[in-house]
Amino acid sequence: MVSPVRVGVVGAGQLARMMIPAAIELGVELRVLAEGEGMAAALAAHGVGDYTDPETVLAFAREVDVLTFDHEHVPQQVLRALVDAGVAVHPGPDALRFAQDKLLMRARLDELGLPVPEWARVSTPDELDAFVAGHGGAAVVKTPRGGYDGKGVRVVRGAAEVAEWFATVGEDGRDGALLVEELVDFRRELAQLVARRPSGEVVAWPLVETVQVGGVCSEVIAPAPHAAGRLADVAADVAIAIAEGLDVTGVLAVEMFETTDDRVLVNELAMRPHNSGHWTMDGATTSQFEQHLRAVLDLPLGGTGCHDEWAVMVNLLGGPAEGTLTDRYAEALAGHPTVKVHNYGKQPRPGRKVGHVTAIGPDLDEAVYEARAAAAALQD
């Protein structure tokens, strides 16, 4: 019997969990290094350990053929140690540093001539106040490292509102530097997913519209309404240019603003499967999870077309106030038999992503209704 190819995933969240079915279909053995017991991807966990410890990650990596990630938080010194040891790491440290540090990312995108909000690196309250004064009295401040789902992002009108952030980044060796950006006047938020393999092949899924609530993705509509033509072409070109310019391997998600004056500006990057691509599991020829595995293994990439006119994904945030998601299945599944439910196996908690639902069909309003109604039946 031929031994299957082994892909190691650092991190055991829902993204690693959703790689499991794709790995089974491809005949790939998926091994997961979990941060703790009982995590979402425990089904494939082959160990529990500290992803910031080089020896722990190296020991895990020696048992797989390719290493990839559920998140971008593995330190650079660990990533470099893996590469030095001859481990195939996708995406590699040279790419991941731009996902780990927003200041580096903004500077690199500027070098590539790609569209981003006006921004600055600010090391003192006076520098921040000067930027705010020069940009209409308000700006967006971000911590360069570690922020996600609305964390580490604030709209401010003065440096006093982020005084503790200056102190924190100063203590961690970042020289007190924060990222400040113009407060973009945007019409809506978009996301463009692409995948790239080491040999250079790149594919793009349709551009999608995302709806954020409290800084957390709530809904995704694929394809983005009224985006065919120039807007979709520009978004795809920008995302492909980022994938190639940053040497990304695997799935890349580029979160964007569509401005009120019809520009597209890059907001954030994720070098892994992403919430904005969950619709692909039910709505596209190749899901982002299968595509990510194909890409990191340098296999030919799959088609990215849609199964139907529309796909709508709604996140389950928090879940039921009492009990579990499965306690709500009878009502939700019977009432909405065309909707697909994805349960992450997490304990419900206010604001926590515990799953998502997807509806596809030829009518957008009907798909939106079905997805929202099914989600409502599964959470409080």
Side-chain angles (χ1 to χ4, degrees), residues 88-158:
V89 180
H90 297 297
D94 288 335
L96 278 169
R97 66 193 181 101
F98 298 111
Q100 293 173 336
D101 190 314
K102 293 180 175 64
L103 287 166
L104 290 178
M105 181 263 286
R106 283 286 183 255
R108 180 60 178 146
L109 296 186
D110 271 352
E111 290 174 357
L112 294 171
L114 296 171
V116 297
E118 291 185 29
W119 67 279
R121 181 183 189 275
V122 291
S123 299
T124 68
D126 286 345
E127 289 178 347
L128 176 52
D129 282 334
F131 186 95
V132 170
H135 291 81
V140 177
V141 179
K142 300 179 180 180
T143 55
R145 302 174 71 88
Y148 66 97
D149 284 348
K151 300 176 179 68
V153 179
R154 287 183 192 170
V155 177
V156 305
R157 286 165 177 78

Side-chain angles (χ1 to χ4, degrees), residues 260-281:
T260 53
D261 58 354
D262 297 319
R263 293 178 297 151
V264 169
L265 299 177
V266 176
N267 182 23
E268 301 283 359
L269 305 180
M271 297 179 187
R272 50 172 170 73
H274 188 257
N275 203 165
S276 63
H278 289 351
W279 69 273
T280 63
M281 299 174 74

Side-chain angles (χ1 to χ4, degrees), residues 282-374:
D282 305 304
T285 302
T286 310
S287 79
Q288 64 169 342
F289 299 101
E290 177 184 341
Q291 201 81 289
H292 188 72
L293 293 175
R294 288 192 187 206
V296 301
L297 291 168
D298 205 14
L299 295 171
L301 302 179
T304 54
C306 300
H307 290 316
D308 214 319
E309 292 294 318
W310 301 100
V312 178
M313 188 282 300
V314 176
N315 272 327
L316 302 176
L317 300 174
E322 296 182 2
T324 67
L325 283 183
T326 55
D327 296 333
R328 302 288 186 91
Y329 276 2
E331 176 188 354
L333 300 182
H336 308 281
T338 62
V339 172
K340 297 287 288 185
V341 176
H342 297 267
N343 185 337
Y344 302 161
K346 293 182 174 181
Q347 188 66 29
R349 189 176 67 206
R352 190 182 202 187
K353 292 177 184 176
V354 296
H356 72 268
V357 300
T358 308
I360 65 173
D363 184 85
L364 177 57
D365 289 342
E366 180 68 15
V368 168
Y369 168 77
E370 287 293 328
R372 288 178 179 174

